[in-house]
Amino acid sequence: MDLYLSLYLLFYIIGASDLVFAASFKQPIPRDLSILRRATPDAPDGYTPKEVDCPSDRPTIRDASGLSPEETSWLPTRRNNTISAMKDLFSRLNVTGFDAEGYINQNANNASALPNIGIAVSGGGYRALTNGAGALAAFDNRTANSTQPGMLGGLLQSATYLAGLSGGGWLVGSLYVNNFTSVQAIQNTTTDISGSLWQFGNSIFEGPATGGIQVLDSAEYYTTLADEIGGKENAGYDITITDYWGRALSFQLVNATDGGVAYTFSSISEDPDFTSGNSPMPILVTDGRAPNQLIVPTNATVYEFNPWELGSFDPTVFGFAPLRYIGSNFTGGSLPDSEQCVRGYDNAGFVMGTSSSLFNEFFLEINSTAGVPQVLKSALSSILGDISSSNEDIASWEPNPFYGFNPHINENANSRQLTLVDGGEDLQNIPLHPLIQPTRKVDVIFAVDSSADTLNSPNWPNGTSLVASYQRTSNATLQNGTLFPSVPDQNTFVNLGLNNRPTFFGCNSSNFTLDNGASLPPLIVYLPNSPYTFDSNLSTFNPVLNNSVRDAVIQNGFNVATMGNGTRDSQWPTCVGCAILSRSAERTGTQLPPACQSCFERYCWNGTVNSTEPAPYNPTFVLDATKLSGATQFSASIVAIGATILTGLTLAM
């Protein structure tokens, strides 16, 4: 096959029809991110997996009856490191009538008694990346003004886990392969310093603009991708559209020359700052899907990538493989003595691309595209010749690390290929699954939802992801000890406005039946995308976003998380504090103050249902949408980010 011609087709088609926004911002003071690289280029042969000598302790597949030894060892360090940040956070949240600092000090010698916080960022393309980035910026004590009274900066530093999926996975993955850099630091850099990092104005089909650390023009970009992916194929590994997608995505998400071709996701586990417990543990979510299988919430096997492993707690696999050695020929849970280890399969872009494989569709809109030469269409057809239209979203992880493992329950035990797809294909578009596992003992999850559920005024959430996660825990086959708070149907979400403001689910622990030693599920703080200062309901499949719109959505996401810096509810910071404390206080037998009871009455879903067909959902701005031009700084003032709000602007899918 002619890889160069094929790639030219893939990128030419949509690149020619991209919609670019014409809004403007003043650029902040640039910051040099060249030293802020956490993941390392430790793959032995670039994108091509390569056989290497195995360590003396040969890698194996473990069962999922608990956490990995690595996570178990890391957790006490991380939990202890959250104490200082949590004390600082509560000094600003003003939980009236409660000595939060004293409570934390009292339990400092037993960090497991303190709140265990998770953050989950949904899928939804660049909309999810940017809206989620706004929430993380609000939670990050490195963001300017985020540590003023009533602000939420430090919540990120207090968290144990940070999960992402699809577009939210781009956000999480990008931050971690760039040294857990802050959102604001990435915004504040320039192309001369950091190349195409978060420069979404040039779509991946066009390739990054030259300058700074990026030196490829479009032709060289296509050739480079063709050579890299061709190298993997020539080494005998199966390739899919996800290989192209993930490599192209890396040019926007990895701060390294040529998109960081040798950067691996597992290298995060060896970074001294991460191993010292100075940041949450990143988790990316993907679904297992056999070719031609239709997956739904109640039958999907949910896999996770973390810095040490790929695997699933689900009883359909119930196992984890060492991510660093994926690509090795495991059989029945072990690596035969005759086999060498393989390294470099877990390319960071391929991991992020696997979690977002739904976007493979970007590459397939050719036959209806005017002006595309037939020769280029034919070239792409040669790539897709062995793939049916129902399998274009699949990422191939071959050899299957779970081959022959747990054959009595593992539906893939007899397959040499593990096929994974976008983590939101089962409708669980918020990556809650890893965080509700009882063995992780998470107390509260801040669930940032950028899903595109609504039809009228499209691309706003309506709670579908929470409904899917709840439905899944009702399936005895897959439930496997996980519990999830009750949630209403999607019509109720819209009719009661639960998709337009924060809502707590699972407040009353007495509603859960804890049989056979089951643990309370986390309290869910649901943060749906809604228009505070900008229409942030961008199309999921638009591949172009210039910096002005990028920053406007980030600021809007910041406002969603802070409720407009408390403008919508001045007690919101207090209520965030109460949500964080709820499970921990119950565990330690500590009475929360009346201020928290007031918060729970205000934000906890009380079981009310209105399932009638809702009126067309047309949300209005919570704060004034301005057309001011200004620096892209997060401000504790009520004034929205300086941006040009374009009237009548729509995003083409």
Side-chain angles (χ1 to χ4, degrees):
M1 89 181 47
D2 187 339
L3 286 173
Y4 175 79
L5 256 178
S6 303
L7 277 174
Y8 180 82
L9 169 62
L10 298 179
F11 295 110
Y12 165 82
I13 296 165
I14 301 191
S17 61
D18 286 343
L19 177 63
V20 181
F21 295 100
S24 62
F25 269 93
K26 290 181 181 178
Q27 289 297 324
I29 298 172
R31 181 180 179 189
D32 186 352
L33 297 184
S34 62
I35 61 172
L36 298 180
R37 296 177 185 163
R38 156 156 290 157
T40 56
D42 68 343
D45 191 20
Y47 193 71
T48 301
K50 185 176 181 179
E51 290 186 343
V52 298
D53 291 336
C54 290
S56 57
D57 184 13
R58 292 174 69 83
T60 59
I61 311 301
R62 71 171 182 89
D63 69 41
S65 56
L67 301 177
S68 69
E70 295 84 1
E71 184 177 348
T72 300
S73 175
W74 174 86
L75 270 171
T77 304
R78 176 56 188 165
R79 294 299 306 277
N80 284 324
N81 284 357
T82 65
I83 292 174
S84 176
M86 203 176 298
K87 286 169 61 176
D88 181 66
L89 173 65
F90 274 101
S91 73
R92 292 178 273 106
L93 295 184
N94 191 28
V95 182
T96 306
F98 187 78
D99 181 8
E101 185 174 355
Y103 177 76
I104 294 171
N105 285 333
Q106 181 182 347
N107 292 283
N109 292 328
N110 180 18
S112 62
L114 295 174
N116 190 12
I117 301 171
I119 301 171
V121 186
S122 82
Y126 293 121
R127 178 186 66 252
L129 184 154
T130 49
N131 181 60
L136 292 190
F139 297 158
D140 191 341
N141 62 20
R142 297 169 295 181
T143 302
N145 300 314
S146 70
T147 56
Q148 292 184 4
M151 300 300 285
L152 305 181
L155 196 157
L156 179 61
Q157 283 71 23
S158 301
T160 307
Y161 298 102
L162 174 57
L165 177 159
S166 198
W170 306 346
L171 168 64
V172 174
S174 183
L175 292 180
Y176 276 85
V177 297
N178 295 297
N179 196 50
F180 196 55
T181 305
S182 72
V183 169
Q184 191 171 59
I186 294 179
Q187 287 184 282
N188 286 4
T189 192
T190 68
T191 55
D192 287 337
I193 294 172
S194 301
S196 55
L197 182 65
W198 285 30
Q199 300 300 311
F200 308 128
N202 275 28
S203 83
I204 64 169
F205 311 103
E206 181 181 357
T210 57
I213 65 173
Q214 297 297 348
V215 295
L216 304 179
D217 60 26
S218 291
E220 292 170 323
Y221 172 65
Y222 304 143
T223 304
T224 296
L225 296 186
D227 289 344
E228 292 166 355
I229 296 164
K232 180 178 178 179
E233 183 178 32
N234 292 337
Y237 294 94
D238 188 33
I239 63 168
T240 56
I241 302 172
T242 306
D243 288 276
Y244 297 104
W245 166 243
R247 276 302 298 132
L249 198 62
S250 295
F251 279 80
Q252 295 183 339
L253 301 180
V254 181
N255 179 32
T257 304
D258 299 348
V261 65
Y263 280 59
T264 62
F265 199 79
S266 61
S267 69
I268 296 170
S269 69
E270 297 188 338
D271 177 81
D273 200 50
F274 175 74
T275 59
S276 297
N278 292 327
S279 61
M281 174 177 149
I283 302 174
L284 269 57
V285 168
T286 183
D287 289 338
R289 181 169 84 79
N292 303 313
Q293 179 191 27
L294 175 65
I295 59 175
V296 295
T298 53
N299 76 353
T301 297
V302 180
Y303 290 81
E304 68 173 63
F305 295 99
N306 64 56
W308 301 288
E309 295 183 308
L310 161 64
S312 177
F313 288 100
D314 290 349
T316 45
V317 173
F318 203 64
F320 282 86
L323 185 59
R324 182 180 180 87
Y325 295 107
I326 293 291
S328 304
N329 197 17
F330 292 98
T331 300
S334 63
L335 193 60
D337 292 339
S338 59
E339 296 283 350
Q340 284 190 282
C341 287
V342 171
R343 292 258 326 275
Y345 201 107
D346 64 312
N347 174 272
F350 188 51
V351 170
M352 290 186 277
T354 297
S355 179
S356 60
S357 69
L358 186 64
F359 291 84
N360 290 350
E361 298 298 322
F362 275 159
F363 294 90
L364 305 174
E365 301 298 323
I366 64 168
N367 291 325
S368 60
T369 304
V372 178
Q374 183 59 44
V375 63
L376 297 183
K377 292 183 179 181
S378 298
L380 181 58
S381 296
S382 69
I383 291 179
L384 301 176
D386 295 330
I387 305 174
S388 71
S389 60
S390 61
N391 296 319
E392 291 156 350
D393 60 333
I394 281 178
S396 175
W397 289 70
E398 185 179 358
N400 172 16
F402 303 104
Y403 177 74
F405 180 76
N406 280 346
H408 58 293
I409 61 170
N410 179 6
E411 58 190 18
N412 289 311
N414 295 321
S415 175
R416 291 287 184 180
Q417 183 186 54
L418 176 64
T419 48
L420 303 176
V421 297
D422 191 295
E425 286 199 23
D426 63 353
L427 301 182
Q428 295 184 93
N429 199 38
I430 308 174
L432 298 169
H433 184 268
L435 305 183
I436 64 173
Q437 297 305 316
T439 190
R440 287 200 164 118
K441 302 177 182 178
V442 175
D443 291 321
V444 58
I445 303 172
F446 289 82
V448 182
D449 192 3
S450 306
S451 301
D453 300 327
T454 58
L455 298 178
N456 296 300
S457 187
N459 304 324
W460 300 109
N462 69 1
T464 291
S465 181
L466 295 187
V467 172
S469 292
Y470 174 71
Q471 290 174 342
R472 180 183 173 84
T473 60
S474 66
N475 182 335
T477 302
L478 286 176
Q479 187 252 9
N480 201 30
T482 58
L483 297 176
F484 196 81
S486 296
V487 297
D489 61 277
Q490 292 94 324
N491 285 353
T492 295
F493 266 92
V494 177
N495 287 328
L496 300 187
L498 306 182
N499 68 328
N500 190 254
R501 61 173 179 82
T503 305
F504 300 168
F505 295 98
C507 296
N508 190 346
S509 63
S510 65
N511 290 336
F512 298 99
T513 301
L514 303 179
D515 295 326
N516 301 318
S519 302
L520 279 175
L523 186 151
I524 307 295
V525 177
Y526 182 58
L527 300 172
N529 181 28
S530 54
Y532 273 71
T533 52
F534 192 79
D535 277 324
S536 53
N537 58 331
L538 311 180
S539 169
T540 302
F541 290 100
N542 194 81
V544 175
L545 204 68
N546 82 357
N547 288 356
S548 301
V549 177
R550 176 199 72 181
D551 292 341
V553 179
I554 290 174
Q555 179 67 36
N556 191 81
F558 183 95
N559 285 324
V560 169
T562 63
M563 294 196 77
N565 298 313
T567 304
R568 198 172 182 184
D569 180 3
S570 62
Q571 296 304 304
W572 173 239
T574 299
C575 295
V576 168
C578 294
I580 293 172
L581 287 167
S582 178
R583 293 287 193 263
S584 172
E586 184 167 353
R587 189 162 58 247
T588 59
T590 303
Q591 182 72 37
L592 291 178
C596 286
Q597 301 309 313
S598 176
C599 284
F600 295 147
E601 291 172 4
R602 189 177 317 173
Y603 286 104
C604 292
W605 178 57
N606 62 7
T608 300
V609 172
N610 179 355
S611 300
T612 60
E613 187 69 24
Y617 181 64
N618 294 297
T620 58
F621 289 118
V622 176
L623 306 178
D624 291 338
T626 70
K627 296 183 179 181
L628 300 177
S629 294
T632 55
Q633 298 290 332
F634 296 105
S635 172
S637 69
I638 305 308
V639 180
I641 190 171
T644 302
I645 309 297
L646 300 180
T647 307
L649 194 62
T650 59
L651 292 169
M653 286 187 76

